[in-house]
Amino acid sequence: MEFDTLLLSRLLTFLTLAFHIIFATIGVGLPIYICLTELIGIKRKDPHYNLLARRWARGYTILVAVGVVTGTIIGLQLSLLWPSFMQKAGHLIGLPLFLETFAFFFEAIFLGIYLYTWDRFSNPFFHWLLSIPVVIGSSASAFFISTVNAFMNTPRGFVIENGNFLNVQPLVAMFNPATPTKVAHVLTTAYLTTGFVLASVTAYFLLRGKSHVYYKKALHICMIGCLVFSFFTVLNGDFAGKFLAKYQPEKLAAAEWHFETETHAKLLLGGILDPDTLEVKYGIGIPAALSILAFNVPSAEVIGLNDFPRDLWPPLYIHYFFNIMIFTGMLLAAVSVIYFVCHYVKRLNQHHPWLLRFIFIGGPLAMLAIESGWIMTEVGRQPWILVGYMLTADGVTTAGEVFEMLILFLSLYLALAILVPVILVRLFSKKSAETELEKRGIIL
């Protein structure tokens, strides 16, 4: 049976990234919550916060282990599936790839020390200090790998001679025009998503009737993070829209089904596109909103897709993922605001079952937004693997065993998708928070 190598390679890369991004996102976001929670526990001499940090750190160790496996697979697949790309541009992205690996080792070393030195210091502040390198390492790892993706969207730092990338400037390649918005968005969404995942788990226990102060404190610290990072995520989303308008107008136009160049361009929400006539049905258009998003001016001209060759159009279905990302982000921000309105208005209850239900579904929705955002970003770059310089079809392998690789890695991901939740559930169900608090002589 004949298979399209390009399609299979893209599918395998998609599956790996989609699976890895779950663990990578939490791996970046969770250390900052562990760090802040332990600090609050030390400052307030509150054992509930100290236990929160301990329990989150245990789960984090398992997630990091799986993230390492899937991250290593991505590195291998870059060379195995996209050898022509690596041959041409490997020396341009080699520095951030090396630094990303270094950042991980830096994080792993201090994580091991952090985990095995609980209660080993007379002053707990010294133990907390060990969490700072873990936070730095995890966020630095995200920073460096994001610069690689940014480079693929706005390549810089080289000249082309006879089809070769010469006069390489690695730092220019790293700090390309896409880097600020890409890195900022990756970090803030990781912190936001992790906050909602943790809040979702806590809301589940509260809905089950576990109304102990431990769970209420856990929910509150998570929702503080959700509120803060939802604000920065919305702000970074605005910056990202302006970046696309300047450097990748075809991606913005495809995401908004904006075909004709015009002023006072409307922002399209929802809708169904007729692929033959390119007419949109059932969509909601907000007048001049796209012009404002792109240039902050209602009368600004926004370039339409018809100004680009049809064979270089990004897939138009990215509009749906763009909408999912936006709607979900706004919903999560609204839930965060409502929680704190209920917290500060005495007549309201921030632990109302309906609000807890929205917080509970906020975790899966935040992860859905992460997946949708990455699909919109990566698919929206097509048909380029390196925008303006190399088509995806020109970077793919010519080997014939991609289908076998797809089956092999799909089996691995399925096994991990089953094992990881089972391990986490068993880890925390065998030693519940109530049991640990009781052993420590702490009154709930």
Side-chain angles (χ1 to χ4, degrees):
M1 184 181 295
E2 293 292 332
F3 294 100
D4 184 344
T5 302
L6 175 60
L7 178 61
L8 290 175
S9 297
R10 290 186 63 190
L11 180 58
L12 178 53
T13 304
F14 164 75
L15 289 173
T16 303
L17 286 171
F19 190 75
H20 173 69
I21 198 66
I22 296 172
F23 300 95
T25 297
I26 300 177
V28 171
L30 191 49
I32 196 169
Y33 288 91
I34 295 172
C35 177
L36 292 175
T37 302
E38 184 181 7
L39 179 62
I40 293 172
I42 294 171
K43 289 289 187 180
R44 298 181 181 179
K45 297 183 179 179
D46 190 326
H48 297 118
Y49 286 106
N50 288 327
L51 182 60
L52 267 176
R54 285 175 182 263
R55 289 172 67 83
W56 285 346
R58 292 173 200 157
Y60 175 65
T61 306
I62 295 171
L63 296 174
V64 164
V66 179
V68 170
V69 172
T70 53
T72 303
I73 290 172
I74 291 173
L76 291 172
Q77 288 181 358
L78 275 174
S79 297
L80 293 175
L81 298 178
W82 310 104
S84 297
F85 165 72
M86 291 300 291
Q87 182 181 14
K88 291 282 188 180
H91 54 317
L92 280 155
I93 61 175
L95 177 61
L97 287 176
F98 166 77
L99 291 175
E100 191 270 341
T101 304
F102 175 82
F104 164 72
F105 283 128
F106 180 78
E107 172 193 359
I109 290 169
F110 282 95
L111 176 60
I113 299 172
Y114 178 81
L115 290 172
Y116 288 100
T117 53
W118 282 101
D119 303 322
R120 299 296 178 92
F121 298 97
S122 57
N123 186 345
F125 183 76
F126 291 115
H127 179 263
W128 170 79
L129 287 175
L130 292 171
S131 68
I132 296 177
V134 179
V135 174
I136 294 173
S138 60
S139 295
S141 180
F143 170 85
F144 291 123
I145 203 65
S146 295
T147 64
V148 174
N149 183 267
F151 168 77
M152 296 168 74
N153 282 276
T154 53
R156 297 290 189 276
F158 60 91
V159 295
I160 293 184
E161 292 183 12
N162 300 321
N164 297 315
F165 295 178
L166 304 177
N167 296 334
V168 173
Q169 302 177 65
L171 291 178
V172 175
M174 278 182 61
F175 296 96
N176 58 79
T179 295
T181 54
K182 179 70 68 177
V183 169
H185 205 57
V186 165
L187 290 177
T188 53
T189 53
Y191 302 148
L192 172 63
T193 300
T194 303
F196 261 105
V197 168
L198 296 174
S200 177
V201 174
T202 308
Y204 169 79
F205 286 114
L206 289 171
L207 286 168
R208 292 281 303 273
K210 296 191 175 184
S211 56
H212 303 300
V213 66
Y214 168 85
Y215 296 102
K216 293 179 179 179
K217 289 179 179 179
L219 180 65
H220 193 70
I221 190 67
C222 291
M223 293 309 295
I224 290 175
C226 292
L227 180 67
V228 172
F229 294 121
S230 64
F231 169 78
F232 284 109
T233 297
V234 172
L235 187 63
N236 287 328
D238 179 67
F239 292 150
K242 291 168 176 53
F243 162 79
L244 290 177
K246 182 177 181 179
Y247 292 98
Q248 291 181 289
E250 70 280 12
K251 182 188 288 190
L252 179 63
E256 275 299 307
W257 290 342
H258 179 66
F259 298 101
E260 299 296 335
T261 299
E262 60 184 2
T263 61
H264 299 88
K266 64 182 179 181
L267 183 71
L268 181 66
L269 302 178
I272 298 176
L273 181 69
D274 186 323
D276 297 321
T277 64
L278 298 181
E279 292 183 359
V280 180
K281 298 179 180 179
Y282 313 117
I284 301 173
I286 304 176
L290 184 58
S291 293
I292 295 174
L293 173 66
F295 300 106
N296 279 338
V297 179
S299 60
E301 182 179 79
V302 181
I303 300 174
L305 269 179
N306 288 332
D307 283 14
F308 301 94
R310 186 68 179 263
D311 60 340
L312 296 182
W313 283 14
L316 297 179
Y317 62 78
I318 64 171
H319 171 79
Y320 299 111
F321 294 101
F322 187 54
N323 275 204
I324 290 172
M325 179 180 63
I326 291 175
F327 286 139
T328 304
M330 297 305 293
L331 175 62
L332 297 179
V335 170
S336 303
V337 171
I338 292 171
Y339 173 86
F340 282 97
V341 170
C342 294
H343 175 72
Y344 288 108
V345 177
K346 293 183 179 180
R347 292 177 298 174
L348 301 177
N349 177 19
Q350 77 266 33
H351 300 126
H352 191 281
W354 275 108
L355 181 55
L356 290 177
R357 290 186 183 99
F358 276 106
I359 294 173
F360 172 67
I361 66 172
L365 286 178
M367 198 57 70
L368 175 64
I370 287 287
E371 297 283 6
S372 299
W374 273 106
I375 292 173
M376 188 268 173
T377 297
E378 298 307 293
V379 176
R381 189 179 68 239
Q382 299 305 314
W384 302 101
I385 190 171
L386 192 62
V387 174
Y389 294 94
M390 180 180 285
L391 294 170
T392 304
D394 295 333
V396 74
T397 181
T398 57
E401 293 78 24
V402 180
F403 180 74
E404 289 78 4
M405 288 179 61
L406 176 62
I407 299 300
L408 175 64
F409 285 111
L410 179 59
S411 301
L412 173 63
Y413 302 149
L414 288 174
L416 289 174
I418 295 171
L419 285 173
V420 172
V422 170
I423 292 171
L424 288 173
V425 169
R426 289 179 64 86
L427 174 66
F428 292 109
S429 62
K430 280 195 170 184
K431 189 180 286 188
S432 66
E434 292 89 341
T435 302
E436 291 198 60
L437 289 168
E438 186 177 343
K439 285 185 177 180
R440 295 174 182 275
I442 300 167
I443 301 175
L444 292 171

